[in-house]
Amino acid sequence: MKGLVRPNILNVKNYIPGKPIEEVERELGLKNVIKLASNENCFGPSPMAVKAIRRALRKINRYPDGASFYLKKKLAGILGVGENNLIFGNGSDEVICMAIKAFVGDGDECVIAKPSFLIYEIASQLQNARIKLIPMTKELRYDLKEMKKAITNNTRMVFIANPDNPTGTYVTKKALDEFLHGLPEKLIVFLDEAYFEFANRSFKDYPNGLDYLKRPGMIVARTFSKVYGLAGLRIGYGISSPEVISYMERVREPFNINILAQEAALAALDDKAFLKKTIAHVETEREFLYSAFRKLELEYIRSATNFIVVNVGKDCKAVFNDLLKEGVIVRDMKAWGLDTFIRVTVGTKAENRKFIAALKKVIKGVNS
Ligand code: PMP
């Protein structure tokens, strides 16, 4: 089969997701394992979304509405954009993949920060693109000056996760304005705002991607996976000009958003209380975690998201495995080249305290 598979596929590394709770409990014979590994909402899904899913269950003999008509209408109204400015994806993962499929071909260049969200690189490799990885600054922020320098006439796409995963840092409005100024028009700027709602609430100099839609080739992506708590249903969306959206629509699978996801997202958009509670909790608990890291004398990166990367000063794989044995799943940052860092998602109050107690034991050998 090696001679048959497209050569670029041979270079693609599989995306390795955070370990599921059930798998860890089964393998290690543990109970009450907590997962702080995939930046999910610790409060579960929006209760209004759950009700909507129950109602929608009796319709699953039918294909979903391929155009996501009602959801598109509602979201367009909320965002103040046209319905033809929107496309839905099976998670914003799929929005990223659709954009790359539509705009990047053999040998085209993609400019990507390192470390950043791994799907940019994987999906670009699938298209046989040439990838230029631009290291972040030592503070783990985007080096937009270097990224701009890396752009040539052959560059088709540049990715900015704002805020970024795994670092949790964000690009300020001023830095984004400077970056966009004078860029070639024939270039897609993919602004991934998966954690928009967290950053927008907490940081005054955080830019709103919607303010940049006049730039030709700007794509903004957001998701229902994080603050809305619907990661398991897989639904996210892209916002761009009607022309860009029309090209992405050509590569979209006809029924990519299932009925339950459409109904749940519609309901979640109305659940303002859930959104508010989630964002306020993350703000407070981030401070708790920062303070605990300081007490443990661990260096951490201030985050604009619902997760934090922290330098544990030891091989991160070993710390990850030791935390697993304590019943806490985090993410080791080996795949991102941050060999002594782990990433932890903000959990419930109880989960965060369990994590800190486990970390103390693992790092310092101290039982609290
Ligand atoms: N972008 C970033 C920066 C992310 O961290 C994630 C989720 N890990 C995604 C996109 C994809 O999220 P989803 O497909 O669940 O919408």
Side-chain angles (χ1 to χ4, degrees):
M1 291 294 122
K2 251 200 169 155
L4 196 59
V5 67
R6 290 163 56 214
N8 54 307
I9 302 297
L10 294 171
N11 298 327
V12 175
K13 287 189 218 111
N14 283 347
Y15 179 80
I16 302 172
K19 266 183 183 278
I21 290 177
E22 297 73 16
E23 187 184 322
V24 175
E25 290 188 340
R26 208 169 45 236
E27 280 177 5
L28 298 178
L30 294 172
K31 280 203 180 112
N32 304 321
V33 166
I34 61 169
K35 183 182 177 207
L36 304 174
S38 300
N39 312 335
E40 295 146 343
N41 191 318
C42 64
F43 291 136
S46 141
M48 284 168 66
V50 173
K51 256 195 209 150
I53 291 168
R54 287 218 176 89
R55 277 196 306 272
L57 274 174
R58 64 200 149 74
K59 296 198 283 189
I60 60 170
N61 59 315
R62 304 285 178 199
Y63 283 96
D65 173 3
S68 301
F69 179 83
Y70 292 107
L71 180 58
K72 198 174 276 178
K73 207 173 165 61
K74 180 160 192 147
L75 187 60
I78 290 172
L79 298 176
V81 301
E83 287 157 44
N84 56 2
N85 293 118
L86 288 176
I87 186 165
F88 289 95
N90 194 252
S92 51
D93 276 347
E94 199 195 18
V95 177
I96 298 164
C97 295
M98 290 189 291
I100 294 174
K101 264 192 203 161
F103 291 101
V104 180
D106 257 348
D108 290 339
E109 288 170 6
C110 290
V111 172
I112 302 172
K114 183 182 163 64
S116 187
F117 189 44
L118 297 175
I119 302 291
Y120 309 147
E121 204 178 328
I122 295 172
S124 302
Q125 280 170 341
L126 293 176
Q127 290 301 102
N128 202 21
R130 286 175 48 207
I131 295 161
K132 286 188 171 172
L133 291 176
I134 310 300
M136 287 197 170
T137 65
K138 61 179 186 323
E139 294 81 25
L140 294 182
R141 290 184 163 269
Y142 272 67
D143 193 339
L144 288 180
K145 288 204 174 80
E146 286 303 314
M147 286 179 76
K148 198 168 181 172
K149 272 195 221 157
I151 292 167
T152 70
N153 285 339
N154 299 323
T155 309
R156 291 289 160 269
M157 277 182 100
V158 53
F159 293 88
I160 300 176
N162 204 27
D164 181 65
N165 175 13
T167 62
T169 61
Y170 68 96
V171 166
T172 63
K173 181 171 178 349
K174 185 165 172 280
L176 185 62
D177 287 345
E178 276 170 19
F179 175 74
L180 293 175
H181 183 76
L183 277 192
E185 287 212 345
K186 255 181 73 185
L187 171 73
I188 299 288
V189 176
F190 195 100
L191 195 60
D192 181 344
E193 294 185 338
Y195 305 91
F196 169 83
E197 294 83 356
F198 297 109
N200 190 45
R201 190 28 210 271
S202 312
F203 298 93
K204 292 246 159 352
D205 57 351
Y206 172 73
N208 183 336
L210 298 187
D211 295 339
Y212 296 85
L213 288 179
K214 279 200 202 82
R215 185 198 174 276
M218 191 80 186
I219 301 176
V220 177
R222 293 188 187 164
T223 182
F224 285 93
S225 294
K226 307 297 173 185
V227 78
Y228 293 99
L230 301 179
L233 283 180
R234 312 303 301 126
I235 177 162
Y237 54 97
I239 318 154
S240 190
S241 68
E243 188 187 358
V244 166
I245 294 292
S246 73
Y247 301 137
M248 289 169 68
E249 279 290 351
R250 292 178 196 202
V251 300
R252 183 176 69 81
E253 287 180 20
F255 301 109
N256 62 332
I257 311 297
N258 69 73
I259 288 179
L260 303 184
Q262 290 188 34
E263 296 287 350
L266 259 172
L269 284 173
D270 282 332
D271 201 345
K272 304 241 163 48
F274 183 76
L275 214 73
K276 223 170 141 183
K277 175 175 139 184
T278 300
I279 295 168
H281 171 80
V282 165
E283 274 190 344
T284 316
E285 286 297 292
R286 265 195 323 238
E287 293 303 324
F288 164 77
L289 290 166
Y290 292 158
S291 134
F293 294 146
R294 282 195 298 268
K295 281 186 203 142
L296 289 169
E297 296 175 335
L298 299 178
E299 175 202 353
Y300 60 89
I301 306 291
R302 287 187 75 81
S303 168
T305 65
N306 65 340
F307 58 85
I308 305 170
V309 280
V310 51
N311 188 348
V312 288
K314 297 181 180 186
D315 174 45
C316 62
K317 265 260 182 266
V319 172
F320 166 83
N321 282 323
D322 289 347
L323 284 171
L324 270 193
K325 288 180 206 141
E326 298 299 318
V328 181
I329 314 174
V330 296
R331 202 70 181 271
D332 73 80
M333 293 286 96
K334 199 110 193 160
W336 282 266
L338 298 171
D339 291 353
T340 60
F341 284 74
I342 59 169
R343 189 191 67 197
V344 61
T345 305
V346 176
T348 62
K349 277 189 168 191
E351 287 172 339
N352 297 334
R353 280 141 192 87
K354 176 169 172 163
F355 160 67
I356 290 297
L359 188 66
K360 219 179 203 170
K361 189 169 164 195
V362 164
I363 302 273
K364 308 263 182 200
V366 179
N367 269 317
S368 55

